[in-house]
Coordinates of all heavy atoms in Angstrom, one line a residue:
A206 N -42.9 41.0 -51.1 CA -42.6 41.8 -52.3 C -42.2 40.9 -53.4 O -42.5 41.2 -54.6 CB -41.4 42.7 -52.0
T207 N -41.6 39.8 -53.2 CA -41.2 38.9 -54.2 C -42.4 38.1 -54.8 O -42.4 37.7 -56.0 CB -40.1 37.9 -53.8 OG1 -40.7 37.0 -52.8 CG2 -38.9 38.6 -53.2
G208 N -43.3 37.7 -53.9 CA -44.4 36.8 -54.4 C -43.8 35.5 -54.8 O -42.8 35.1 -54.3
P209 N -44.3 34.9 -55.9 CA -43.7 33.7 -56.4 C -42.5 33.9 -57.2 O -41.8 32.9 -57.6 CB -44.9 33.1 -57.3 CG -45.6 34.3 -57.7 CD -45.5 35.4 -56.7
S210 N -42.1 35.1 -57.5 CA -41.0 35.4 -58.4 C -39.7 35.1 -57.7 O -39.5 35.4 -56.5 CB -41.0 36.9 -58.8 OG -39.7 37.3 -59.1
N211 N -38.7 34.5 -58.4 CA -37.4 34.2 -57.8 C -36.4 35.3 -58.2 O -35.2 35.2 -57.8 CB -36.9 32.8 -58.2 CG -36.7 32.7 -59.6 OD1 -37.2 33.5 -60.4 ND2 -36.0 31.7 -60.1
S212 N -36.9 36.3 -58.9 CA -35.9 37.3 -59.4 C -36.0 38.7 -58.7 O -35.1 39.5 -58.8 CB -36.1 37.5 -60.9 OG -37.4 38.1 -61.1
K213 N -37.1 38.9 -57.9 CA -37.4 40.2 -57.4 C -36.3 40.8 -56.5 O -35.8 41.9 -56.6 CB -38.7 40.3 -56.7 CG -39.3 41.6 -56.5 CD -39.7 42.2 -57.9 CE -40.0 43.7 -57.8 NZ -40.1 44.3 -59.1
S214 N -35.9 39.9 -55.5 CA -34.8 40.4 -54.6 C -33.5 40.7 -55.3 O -32.9 41.7 -55.0 CB -34.6 39.4 -53.5 OG -35.5 39.6 -52.4
A215 N -33.1 39.8 -56.2 CA -31.9 40.0 -57.0 C -32.0 41.3 -57.8 O -31.0 42.1 -57.8 CB -31.6 38.9 -57.9
E216 N -33.2 41.6 -58.4 CA -33.4 42.8 -59.2 C -33.3 44.0 -58.4 O -32.6 45.0 -58.7 CB -34.7 42.7 -59.9 CG -35.0 43.9 -60.8 CD -36.4 43.9 -61.4 OE1 -37.1 42.8 -61.3 OE2 -36.8 44.9 -62.1
L217 N -34.0 44.0 -57.2 CA -34.0 45.2 -56.3 C -32.6 45.5 -55.7 O -32.2 46.7 -55.6 CB -35.0 45.1 -55.2 CG -36.5 45.2 -55.7 CD1 -37.5 44.7 -54.6 CD2 -36.8 46.7 -56.0
L218 N -31.9 44.4 -55.4 CA -30.5 44.6 -54.9 C -29.6 45.2 -55.9 O -28.8 46.1 -55.7 CB -30.0 43.3 -54.3 CG -28.7 43.4 -53.5 CD1 -28.8 44.2 -52.3 CD2 -28.1 42.0 -53.2
A219 N -29.7 44.7 -57.2 CA -28.9 45.2 -58.3 C -29.2 46.7 -58.6 O -28.3 47.5 -58.8 CB -29.1 44.4 -59.5
K220 N -30.5 47.0 -58.5 CA -30.9 48.4 -58.7 C -30.4 49.3 -57.6 O -29.9 50.5 -57.9 CB -32.5 48.5 -58.7 CG -33.1 48.1 -60.1 CD -34.6 48.3 -60.0 CE -35.2 47.9 -61.4 NZ -36.7 47.9 -61.3
H221 N -30.4 48.8 -56.4 CA -29.9 49.6 -55.2 C -28.4 49.8 -55.4 O -27.9 51.0 -55.3 CB -30.1 48.9 -53.9 CG -29.6 49.5 -52.7 ND1 -29.9 50.8 -52.3 CD2 -28.6 49.1 -51.8 CE1 -29.2 51.1 -51.3 NE2 -28.4 50.1 -50.9
A222 N -27.6 48.8 -55.8 CA -26.2 48.9 -56.1 C -25.9 49.9 -57.2 O -25.0 50.7 -57.1 CB -25.6 47.6 -56.4
D223 N -26.8 49.9 -58.2 CA -26.7 50.8 -59.4 C -26.8 52.3 -58.9 O -26.0 53.1 -59.2 CB -27.7 50.5 -60.4 CG -27.8 51.5 -61.6 OD1 -26.7 51.7 -62.1 OD2 -28.8 52.0 -61.9
L224 N -27.8 52.5 -58.0 CA -28.0 53.9 -57.5 C -26.8 54.3 -56.7 O -26.4 55.5 -56.7 CB -29.3 53.9 -56.7 CG -30.6 53.7 -57.5 CD1 -31.8 53.5 -56.6 CD2 -30.9 54.9 -58.5
L225 N -26.3 53.4 -55.9 CA -25.1 53.8 -55.1 C -23.9 54.1 -56.0 O -23.1 55.0 -55.6 CB -24.7 52.6 -54.2 CG -25.6 52.2 -53.0 CD1 -25.1 50.9 -52.4 CD2 -25.6 53.4 -52.0
L226 N -23.8 53.4 -57.1 CA -22.5 53.6 -57.9 C -22.7 54.7 -59.0 O -21.8 54.9 -59.8 CB -22.2 52.3 -58.6 CG -21.7 51.2 -57.6 CD1 -21.7 49.8 -58.2 CD2 -20.2 51.5 -57.2
R227 N -23.8 55.4 -58.9 CA -24.0 56.5 -59.9 C -23.4 57.8 -59.4 O -23.4 58.0 -58.1 CB -25.5 56.7 -60.2 CG -25.9 55.7 -61.2 CD -27.4 55.7 -61.4 NE -27.8 54.8 -62.5 CZ -27.9 55.2 -63.8 NH1 -27.7 56.4 -64.2 NH2 -28.2 54.3 -64.7
K228 N -23.1 58.7 -60.3 CA -22.5 60.0 -59.9 C -23.3 60.8 -58.9 O -22.8 61.4 -58.0 CB -22.4 60.9 -61.2 CG -21.0 60.8 -61.8 CD -20.9 61.6 -63.0 CE -19.7 61.4 -63.8 NZ -19.7 61.9 -65.2
N229 N -24.7 60.8 -59.1 CA -25.5 61.7 -58.3 C -25.9 61.1 -57.0 O -26.9 61.6 -56.4 CB -26.7 62.1 -59.1 CG -27.5 60.9 -59.6 OD1 -27.1 59.8 -59.3 ND2 -28.6 61.2 -60.3
N230 N -25.3 60.0 -56.5 CA -25.7 59.5 -55.2 C -25.3 60.5 -54.1 O -24.5 61.3 -54.2 CB -25.2 58.1 -55.0 CG -23.8 58.0 -54.6 OD1 -23.2 59.0 -54.1 ND2 -23.2 56.9 -54.8
K231 N -26.0 60.3 -52.9 CA -25.8 61.2 -51.8 C -24.5 60.9 -51.0 O -24.1 61.6 -50.2 CB -27.0 61.2 -50.9 CG -28.3 61.5 -51.5 CD -28.4 63.0 -51.9 CE -29.8 63.3 -52.5 NZ -29.9 62.8 -53.9
L232 N -24.0 59.7 -51.2 CA -22.8 59.2 -50.4 C -21.5 59.7 -51.1 O -20.8 59.0 -51.7 CB -22.8 57.7 -50.3 CG -24.0 57.1 -49.6 CD1 -24.1 55.6 -49.9 CD2 -23.9 57.3 -48.1
A233 N -21.3 61.0 -50.9 CA -20.1 61.6 -51.6 C -18.8 61.1 -51.0 O -17.8 60.8 -51.7 CB -20.2 63.1 -51.4
E234 N -18.8 60.8 -49.7 CA -17.5 60.3 -49.1 C -17.2 58.9 -49.6 O -18.1 58.0 -49.5 CB -17.7 60.3 -47.6 CG -17.8 61.7 -46.9 CD -16.6 62.6 -47.2 OE1 -15.4 62.1 -47.0 OE2 -16.7 63.7 -47.6
E235 N -16.0 58.7 -49.9 CA -15.5 57.4 -50.4 C -15.8 56.3 -49.4 O -16.3 55.2 -49.7 CB -14.0 57.4 -50.7 CG -13.6 56.4 -51.7 CD -13.4 56.9 -53.1 OE1 -14.1 57.8 -53.5 OE2 -12.4 56.5 -53.7
Q236 N -15.6 56.6 -48.1 CA -15.7 55.7 -47.0 C -17.2 55.3 -46.8 O -17.5 54.1 -46.6 CB -15.2 56.3 -45.7 CG -14.5 55.3 -44.7 CD -13.6 54.3 -45.4 OE1 -12.7 54.7 -46.1 NE2 -13.8 53.1 -45.1
D237 N -18.1 56.2 -47.0 CA -19.5 55.9 -46.8 C -20.0 55.0 -47.9 O -20.7 54.1 -47.7 CB -20.3 57.2 -46.9 CG -20.1 58.1 -45.7 OD1 -19.4 57.7 -44.8 OD2 -20.5 59.3 -45.8
L238 N -19.5 55.3 -49.1 CA -19.8 54.4 -50.3 C -19.3 53.0 -50.1 O -20.0 52.0 -50.3 CB -19.3 55.0 -51.6 CG -19.6 54.3 -52.9 CD1 -21.1 54.1 -53.0 CD2 -19.1 55.1 -54.1
E239 N -18.1 52.9 -49.6 CA -17.5 51.6 -49.4 C -18.3 50.8 -48.3 O -18.6 49.6 -48.5 CB -16.1 51.8 -48.9 CG -15.3 50.5 -48.8 CD -15.1 49.7 -50.1 OE1 -15.2 50.3 -51.2 OE2 -14.7 48.5 -50.0
T240 N -18.8 51.5 -47.3 CA -19.6 50.9 -46.2 C -20.9 50.4 -46.8 O -21.4 49.3 -46.6 CB -19.9 51.9 -45.1 OG1 -18.7 52.4 -44.6 CG2 -20.7 51.2 -44.0
A241 N -21.5 51.3 -47.7 CA -22.8 50.9 -48.3 C -22.7 49.7 -49.2 O -23.6 48.8 -49.3 CB -23.3 52.1 -49.1
L242 N -21.5 49.6 -49.9 CA -21.3 48.4 -50.8 C -21.1 47.2 -50.0 O -21.6 46.1 -50.4 CB -20.1 48.7 -51.7 CG -20.2 49.8 -52.7 CD1 -19.0 50.0 -53.5 CD2 -21.4 49.6 -53.7
N243 N -20.4 47.3 -48.9 CA -20.3 46.1 -48.0 C -21.6 45.6 -47.5 O -21.9 44.4 -47.3 CB -19.4 46.5 -46.8 CG -17.9 46.6 -47.1 OD1 -17.5 45.9 -48.1 ND2 -17.2 47.4 -46.4
R244 N -22.5 46.6 -47.2 CA -23.9 46.2 -46.8 C -24.7 45.5 -47.9 O -25.4 44.6 -47.6 CB -24.6 47.5 -46.3 CG -24.2 47.9 -44.9 CD -24.5 49.4 -44.7 NE -26.0 49.7 -44.7 CZ -26.8 49.5 -43.7 NH1 -26.4 49.0 -42.6 NH2 -28.1 49.8 -43.9
V245 N -24.4 45.9 -49.1 CA -25.1 45.2 -50.3 C -24.6 43.8 -50.3 O -25.4 42.8 -50.5 CB -24.7 45.9 -51.6 CG1 -25.0 45.0 -52.8 CG2 -25.3 47.3 -51.8
M246 N -23.3 43.5 -50.0 CA -22.8 42.2 -50.0 C -23.4 41.3 -48.9 O -23.4 40.1 -49.0 CB -21.3 42.2 -49.9 CG -20.6 42.8 -51.1 SD -21.1 42.1 -52.7 CE -20.5 40.5 -52.6
I247 N -23.8 41.9 -47.8 CA -24.5 41.1 -46.7 C -25.7 40.4 -47.3 O -26.0 39.2 -47.1 CB -24.8 42.0 -45.5 CG1 -23.6 42.5 -44.8 CG2 -25.7 41.3 -44.5 CD1 -23.8 43.5 -43.7
I248 N -26.6 41.2 -48.0 CA -27.8 40.7 -48.6 C -27.5 39.7 -49.7 O -28.1 38.7 -49.9 CB -28.8 41.8 -49.0 CG1 -29.1 42.7 -47.8 CG2 -30.0 41.2 -49.7 CD1 -29.8 42.0 -46.7
F249 N -26.4 40.1 -50.5 CA -26.0 39.3 -51.7 C -25.7 37.9 -51.2 O -26.1 36.9 -51.9 CB -24.8 39.9 -52.3 CG -24.2 39.1 -53.5 CD1 -24.8 39.1 -54.7 CD2 -23.1 38.3 -53.3 CE1 -24.3 38.4 -55.8 CE2 -22.6 37.5 -54.3 CZ -23.2 37.6 -55.6
K250 N -25.1 37.7 -50.1 CA -24.7 36.4 -49.6 C -25.9 35.5 -49.5 O -25.8 34.3 -49.6 CB -24.0 36.6 -48.2 CG -23.6 35.3 -47.5 CD -22.9 35.6 -46.2 CE -23.9 35.6 -45.0 NZ -23.2 35.6 -43.7
Y251 N -27.1 36.1 -49.2 CA -28.3 35.3 -48.9 C -29.1 35.0 -50.2 O -30.0 34.2 -50.2 CB -29.2 35.9 -47.9 CG -28.5 36.0 -46.5 CD1 -28.3 37.2 -45.9 CD2 -28.2 34.9 -45.8 CE1 -27.7 37.3 -44.7 CE2 -27.6 34.9 -44.6 CZ -27.3 36.1 -44.0 OH -26.7 36.2 -42.8
L252 N -28.8 35.7 -51.3 CA -29.5 35.4 -52.5 C -29.3 34.0 -53.0 O -28.2 33.5 -53.1 CB -29.0 36.4 -53.7 CG -29.4 37.9 -53.6 CD1 -28.9 38.6 -54.7 CD2 -31.0 38.0 -53.5
E253 N -30.4 33.3 -53.4 CA -30.3 32.0 -53.9 C -29.9 32.0 -55.4 O -29.2 31.2 -55.9 CB -31.6 31.2 -53.7 CG -31.8 30.8 -52.3 CD -33.2 30.1 -52.1 OE1 -34.0 30.1 -53.0 OE2 -33.5 29.7 -50.9
D254 N -30.5 33.0 -56.1 CA -30.2 33.1 -57.5 C -29.2 34.2 -57.8 O -29.6 35.3 -58.3 CB -31.5 33.4 -58.3 CG -32.5 32.2 -58.1 OD1 -32.1 31.0 -58.4 OD2 -33.6 32.3 -57.5
K255 N -28.0 33.9 -57.6 CA -26.9 35.0 -57.8 C -26.7 35.2 -59.3 O -26.2 36.3 -59.6 CB -25.6 34.5 -57.1 CG -25.7 34.5 -55.6 CD -24.4 34.1 -54.9 CE -24.4 34.4 -53.4 NZ -25.4 33.5 -52.7
D256 N -27.1 34.3 -60.1 CA -26.9 34.6 -61.6 C -27.9 35.6 -62.0 O -27.6 36.4 -63.0 CB -27.1 33.3 -62.4 CG -28.5 32.6 -62.2 OD1 -29.1 32.9 -61.1 OD2 -28.9 31.8 -63.0
I257 N -29.1 35.7 -61.4 CA -30.0 36.8 -61.8 C -29.5 38.1 -61.4 O -29.5 39.1 -62.1 CB -31.4 36.5 -61.1 CG1 -32.0 35.2 -61.7 CG2 -32.4 37.7 -61.4 CD1 -33.4 34.9 -61.1
F258 N -28.9 38.2 -60.2 CA -28.3 39.5 -59.7 C -27.2 39.8 -60.7 O -27.0 41.0 -61.1 CB -27.7 39.3 -58.3 CG -26.9 40.5 -57.9 CD1 -27.5 41.6 -57.2 CD2 -25.5 40.6 -58.1 CE1 -26.8 42.7 -56.8 CE2 -24.8 41.8 -57.7 CZ -25.5 42.8 -57.1
Q259 N -26.4 38.9 -61.1 CA -25.2 39.1 -62.0 C -25.7 39.7 -63.3 O -25.1 40.7 -63.8 CB -24.5 37.8 -62.3 CG -23.3 37.9 -63.2 CD -22.9 36.5 -63.8 OE1 -23.7 35.6 -63.9 NE2 -21.6 36.4 -64.1
Q260 N -26.8 39.2 -63.8 CA -27.3 39.7 -65.1 C -27.9 41.1 -65.0 O -27.6 42.0 -65.8 CB -28.4 38.7 -65.6 CG -28.6 38.8 -67.1 CD -27.4 38.6 -68.0 OE1 -26.6 37.8 -67.7 NE2 -27.3 39.4 -69.1
F261 N -28.7 41.3 -63.9 CA -29.2 42.7 -63.7 C -28.0 43.7 -63.5 O -28.0 44.8 -64.0 CB -30.1 42.7 -62.5 CG -31.6 42.4 -62.9 CD1 -32.2 41.2 -62.5 CD2 -32.3 43.3 -63.6 CE1 -33.5 40.9 -62.8 CE2 -33.6 43.0 -64.0 CZ -34.2 41.9 -63.5
Y262 N -27.0 43.2 -62.7 CA -25.9 44.1 -62.3 C -25.1 44.4 -63.6 O -24.8 45.6 -63.8 CB -25.0 43.4 -61.3 CG -23.9 44.3 -60.8 CD1 -24.1 45.1 -59.7 CD2 -22.6 44.3 -61.4 CE1 -23.1 46.0 -59.3 CE2 -21.7 45.2 -61.0 CZ -21.9 46.0 -59.9 OH -20.9 46.9 -59.5
S263 N -24.9 43.5 -64.5 CA -24.1 43.8 -65.7 C -24.9 44.7 -66.6 O -24.3 45.5 -67.3 CB -23.6 42.5 -66.4 OG -24.7 41.8 -66.8
T264 N -26.2 44.5 -66.7 CA -27.0 45.4 -67.5 C -26.9 46.8 -67.0 O -26.8 47.8 -67.8 CB -28.5 44.9 -67.5 OG1 -28.5 43.6 -68.0 CG2 -29.4 45.8 -68.4
K265 N -27.0 47.0 -65.7 CA -27.0 48.3 -65.1 C -25.5 48.9 -65.2 O -25.4 50.1 -65.5 CB -27.3 48.3 -63.6 CG -28.7 47.8 -63.3 CD -29.7 48.9 -63.6 CE -31.1 48.5 -63.2 NZ -32.1 49.4 -63.9
L266 N -24.5 48.1 -65.1 CA -23.1 48.5 -65.2 C -22.9 49.0 -66.7 O -22.3 50.1 -66.9 CB -22.2 47.4 -64.9 CG -20.7 47.7 -65.2 CD1 -20.2 48.9 -64.4 CD2 -19.8 46.4 -64.9
S267 N -23.5 48.2 -67.6 CA -23.3 48.6 -69.0 C -23.8 50.0 -69.3 O -23.2 50.8 -70.0 CB -23.9 47.6 -70.0 OG -25.3 47.7 -69.9
K268 N -25.0 50.3 -68.7 CA -25.6 51.7 -68.9 C -24.8 52.8 -68.1 O -24.6 53.9 -68.7 CB -27.0 51.6 -68.4 CG -27.8 50.7 -69.3 CD -29.3 50.9 -69.2 CE -29.9 49.9 -70.3 NZ -31.3 49.6 -70.0
R269 N -24.3 52.4 -67.0 CA -23.4 53.4 -66.3 C -22.2 53.8 -67.1 O -21.8 54.9 -67.2 CB -22.9 52.9 -64.9 CG -24.0 52.8 -63.8 CD -23.4 52.7 -62.4 NE -22.7 51.6 -62.2 CZ -23.1 50.3 -61.9 NH1 -24.4 50.1 -61.8 NH2 -22.3 49.3 -61.6
L270 N -21.6 52.7 -67.7 CA -20.4 53.0 -68.5 C -20.7 53.7 -69.8 O -20.0 54.6 -70.2 CB -19.7 51.6 -68.8 CG -19.1 50.9 -67.6 CD1 -18.5 49.6 -68.0 CD2 -18.1 51.8 -66.8
I271 N -21.8 53.3 -70.5 CA -22.1 53.9 -71.8 C -22.5 55.4 -71.6 O -22.1 56.2 -72.4 CB -23.3 53.1 -72.4 CG1 -22.8 51.8 -73.0 CG2 -23.9 53.9 -73.6 CD1 -23.9 50.8 -73.4

Side-chain angles (χ1 to χ4, degrees):
T207 63
S210 154
N211 61 344
S212 66
K213 198 68 193 167
S214 274
E216 180 182 353
L217 285 165
L218 188 64
K220 281 182 175 174
H221 175 59
D223 176 51
L224 293 169
L225 288 175
L226 289 162
R227 281 173 173 267
K228 265 180 191 165
N229 56 359
N230 75 21
K231 304 288 183 286
L232 298 165
E234 294 297 315
E235 203 102 321
Q236 212 44 51
D237 294 347
L238 181 52
E239 188 61 17
T240 306
L242 296 178
N243 284 332
R244 284 160 60 84
V245 166
M246 294 309 294
I247 291 171
I248 301 300
F249 176 79
K250 178 178 94 169
Y251 295 118
L252 286 179
E253 283 174 359
D254 296 301
K255 291 184 170 63
D256 59 337
I257 295 178
F258 175 89
Q259 178 196 31
Q260 199 57 37
F261 272 111
Y262 187 85
S263 65
T264 302
K265 297 287 182 193
L266 171 62
S267 70
K268 296 199 173 156
R269 287 199 298 280
L270 295 178
I271 288 170

